[in-house]
């Protein structure tokens, strides 16, 4: 739904109004709502995972692919949470902090991967990615709350009505992005040839 893509705009608006508490509520609500949607979709898809993986992989890779599913699921949940905070840093014009955290996350991922891959193989890579996501979540939340909002990062209040405007904006953003990508990649829609 692109909720994390639209968070920068709404954080910027609320910060311009000087409402730190509302920004916190917005971020927490987006994270909780996104996690609920992922859990519901996962519950729908989970019964079909074995069948789907068997269509994609031969027996020797099926077991590995199935073993990776929990790691993928956990990483998805963590990615939604930390990308919401990184998007909030963008909305607060703290891209310097976001860039530093992103680079630090990559360094952590590489170091932990080098340590775990020799022992655990591809599962070690997945474990390193989860470790990276946890570090990014904790640090991005801490820095956003302490450096931008000036309130406790342990504030977890939610209020679902704040999603109304954000969902509409995010869905429109996603739809325009999909159509823009489709039009650019499909030259039959362009009024001129690709050579001109």
């Amino acid at each position: 739904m692109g909720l994390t893509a639209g968070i920068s705009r709404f954080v910027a608006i609320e910060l311009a109004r000087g409402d730190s508490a509302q920004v916190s509520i917005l971020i927490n609500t987006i994270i909780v709502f996104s996690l609920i949607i992922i859990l519901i979709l996962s519950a729908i898809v989970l019964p079909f995972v074995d069948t789907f993986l068997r269509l994609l992989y031969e027996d020797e890779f099926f077991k590995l692919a199935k073993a990776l599913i929990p790691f993928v699921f956990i990483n998805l949940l963590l990615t939604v949470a930390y990308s919401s905070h990184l998007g909030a840093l963008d909305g607060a014009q703290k891209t310097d902090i976001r860039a530093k955290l992103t680079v630090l996350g990559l360094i952590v991922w590489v170091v932990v991967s080098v340590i775990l891959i020799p022992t655990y193989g591809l599962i070690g890579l997945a474990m390193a990615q989860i470790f990276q996501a946890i570090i990014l979540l904790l640090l991005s939340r801490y820095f956003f709350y302490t450096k931008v909002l000036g309130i406790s990062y342990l504030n977890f209040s939610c209020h679902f009505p704040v999603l109304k405007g954000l969902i509409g904006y995010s869905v429109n953003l996603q739809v325009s992005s999909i159509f823009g990508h489709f039009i650019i990649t499909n030259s039959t829609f362009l009024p001129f040839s690709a050579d001109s």
Side-chain angles (χ1 to χ4, degrees):
M1 290 173 47
L3 290 174
T4 56
I7 196 170
S8 301
R9 177 181 184 268
F10 285 85
V11 165
I13 290 169
E14 294 303 331
L15 286 175
R17 292 177 181 157
D19 196 348
S20 296
Q22 187 64 20
V23 173
S24 176
I25 289 169
L26 179 69
I27 292 171
N28 291 328
T29 305
I30 288 170
I31 292 169
V32 170
F33 181 74
S34 298
L35 296 182
I36 289 170
I37 295 295
I38 291 169
L39 290 171
I40 290 170
L41 292 175
S42 298
I44 293 168
V45 171
L46 196 58
F48 306 103
V49 167
D50 277 8
T51 306
F52 183 66
L53 290 177
R54 286 194 187 279
L55 290 173
L56 292 176
Y57 302 106
E58 298 173 8
D59 286 341
E60 58 184 303
F61 298 114
F62 169 76
K63 288 181 182 177
L64 179 60
K66 189 172 178 182
L68 285 171
I69 292 295
F71 294 98
V72 170
F73 177 71
I74 292 167
N75 190 52
L76 178 62
L77 295 175
L78 290 169
T79 300
V80 166
Y82 82 70
S83 61
S84 296
H85 290 92
L86 292 177
L89 285 167
D90 282 345
Q93 298 181 1
K94 297 291 184 186
T95 53
D96 58 326
I97 296 174
R98 178 196 170 110
K100 289 173 186 173
L101 290 175
T102 303
V103 169
L104 177 65
L106 289 171
I107 292 169
V108 166
W109 177 66
V110 169
V111 169
V112 176
S113 295
V114 168
I115 294 168
L116 294 179
I117 288 174
T119 305
Y120 299 101
L122 197 54
I123 298 290
L125 185 65
M127 292 165 69
Q129 206 161 8
I130 288 174
F131 189 76
Q132 173 200 26
I134 291 170
I135 294 295
L136 281 173
L137 172 58
L138 294 176
L139 290 177
S140 61
R141 184 170 181 91
Y142 173 78
F143 280 110
F144 183 73
Y145 273 72
T146 57
K147 301 290 184 189
V148 176
L149 299 183
I151 60 177
S152 171
Y153 58 90
L154 299 175
N155 182 336
F156 292 106
S157 54
C158 296
H159 187 64
F160 285 99
V162 301
L163 290 172
K164 185 179 179 183
L166 181 62
I167 289 174
Y169 175 80
S170 299
V171 168
N172 286 337
L173 187 66
Q174 289 295 91
V175 169
S176 64
S177 175
I178 290 167
F179 279 115
H181 177 72
F182 180 74
I183 289 171
I184 289 170
T185 57
N186 190 344
S187 63
T188 59
F189 283 99
L190 296 176
F192 51 87
S193 71
D195 299 329
S196 60

